[in-house]
Amino acid sequence: MPEYDFSGQVAFVTGAAHGQGRSHAQHYARHGADVVLTDISENMETVPYDLGTEDELEETASLVEDEGQDALTVQMDVRDEDQVEAAVEQALDEFGKIDILANNAGIAHFGDLVEMDEALWDEMLDTNLKGVWLCSKHVGKHFVDRGDGGKIVSTSSIYGLSAGPGSGHYIAAKHGVIGLTKTLALELAEYDVNVNAVCPTGVDTPMISGVMEAYGEDVLDDVIATTGPWNLFEEGMIESKDISEAYMWLSSDAARYVTGIALPVDAGMLAK
């Protein structure tokens, strides 16, 4: 495992109750960062599976503390600007600064675009795109005011670089994350802020298992039949830690001249 050094730094992680967010939080702590852990910690009307809970968020905090680092938990809905602003202020009150923003929070559900209910579209775009903007806006303001650099890493998807059936709202949001990333990279470069996105293939998380339970495994088979396999190396999906390693690199000084990119961690899916 590469030895990144985030000693004395603070990482702000959204969607940290479980899945990739929990993994990112553990990795930041393992490399020396204190971590602000945020999650909506309640279910959403259009999402057909259980989202993270307050208990899971506290469990993530315990895992961060097991690595010898401090953790602050905040129940926060990335769709609500007042909540985002308050969470950033709480983090600054607690730690005095934020060095890294990890925009991980996201949801998934399915529906054909010509039949989709407007509520599915709105909740998807508000969570997976607007939420990334709001967190980047308020942490970005801190970076500008502080004038000492910073890192923003956001989760897009292979579907931010491609398309597939049954999830046009998700695909639109993830394409939007890449456009947002590139624009923020241009706007924040003068303040020494690096802004990048990671584009995972299918990752074995509660979100994916929840989608399969809600819609049946066939729904993913139908997508793969159109787009090709998610993993060229073996059957199945990759692990959260594989995405966390990309987050660590993009958050580190090793990537100090990397900004505005959408980094695929796709197990070869896009090679076709």
Side-chain angles (χ1 to χ4, degrees):
M1 180 184 296
E3 286 302 319
Y4 304 113
D5 186 5
F6 299 128
S7 300
Q9 296 191 38
V10 178
F12 187 106
V13 182
T14 70
H18 59 208
Q20 292 182 50
R22 172 178 286 181
S23 177
H24 301 344
Q26 286 182 277
H27 277 70
Y28 283 123
R30 194 167 296 148
H31 294 295
D34 296 325
V35 190
V36 182
L37 306 163
T38 77
D39 202 280
I40 190 173
S41 299
E42 61 184 31
N43 288 337
M44 294 168 60
E45 185 175 349
T46 66
V47 178
Y49 55 88
D50 288 333
L51 299 177
T53 66
E54 290 185 65
D55 287 344
E56 287 178 309
L57 192 61
E58 292 300 330
E59 184 179 345
T60 303
S62 295
L63 293 170
V64 167
E65 290 163 354
D66 287 345
E67 300 289 346
Q69 300 304 128
D70 292 334
L72 170 67
T73 60
V74 184
Q75 189 170 350
M76 182 195 82
D77 185 343
V78 296
R79 301 170 296 171
D80 187 311
E81 183 161 17
D82 289 341
Q83 290 189 35
V84 172
E85 185 174 16
V88 171
E89 289 176 355
Q90 187 175 347
L92 296 177
D93 287 343
E94 179 76 15
F95 293 115
K97 64 171 183 171
I98 298 168
D99 300 282
I100 301 161
L101 169 60
N103 279 315
N104 164 79
I107 59 172
H109 39 53
F110 283 87
D112 290 343
L113 287 173
V114 298
E115 299 174 354
M116 183 180 299
D117 187 86
E118 186 177 4
L120 265 70
W121 176 275
D122 287 346
E123 208 151 79
M124 175 65 71
L125 271 290
D126 281 352
T127 303
N128 288 17
L129 182 55
K130 178 184 173 184
V132 173
W133 166 59
L134 287 176
C135 293
S136 299
K137 173 183 176 179
H138 287 282
V139 176
K141 282 183 177 180
H142 167 61
F143 290 159
V144 170
D145 292 343
R146 193 176 67 166
D148 192 30
K151 307 283 188 180
I152 298 175
V153 186
S154 303
T155 298
S156 177
S157 169
I158 49 166
Y159 293 117
L161 298 167
S162 61
S167 54
H169 55 335
Y170 181 88
I171 289 163
K174 293 303 187 179
H175 274 72
V177 169
I178 293 175
L180 185 66
T181 293
K182 290 178 178 294
T183 305
L184 284 166
L186 295 174
E187 293 180 353
L188 296 178
E190 65 178 294
Y191 304 101
D192 293 327
V193 177
N194 300 71
V195 189
N196 293 291
V198 179
C199 298
T201 185
V203 184
D204 186 8
T205 63
M207 184 181 83
I208 295 295
S209 60
V211 164
M212 289 193 294
E213 183 175 348
Y215 295 99
E217 293 190 17
D218 289 347
V219 71
L220 296 183
D221 292 339
D222 291 343
V223 173
I224 291 169
T226 301
T227 62
W230 282 353
N231 189 339
L232 296 187
F233 295 108
E234 57 191 42
E235 296 246 348
M237 291 173 275
I238 66 175
E239 299 177 59
S240 291
K241 66 182 181 180
D242 299 307
I243 310 306
S244 295
E245 288 297 336
Y247 260 79
M248 295 308 105
W249 179 64
L250 290 171
S251 300
S252 75
D253 287 340
R256 61 182 177 151
Y257 292 126
V258 178
T259 198
I261 72 163
L263 176 65
V265 184
D266 67 341
M269 179 182 172
L270 298 176
K272 61 183 183 300

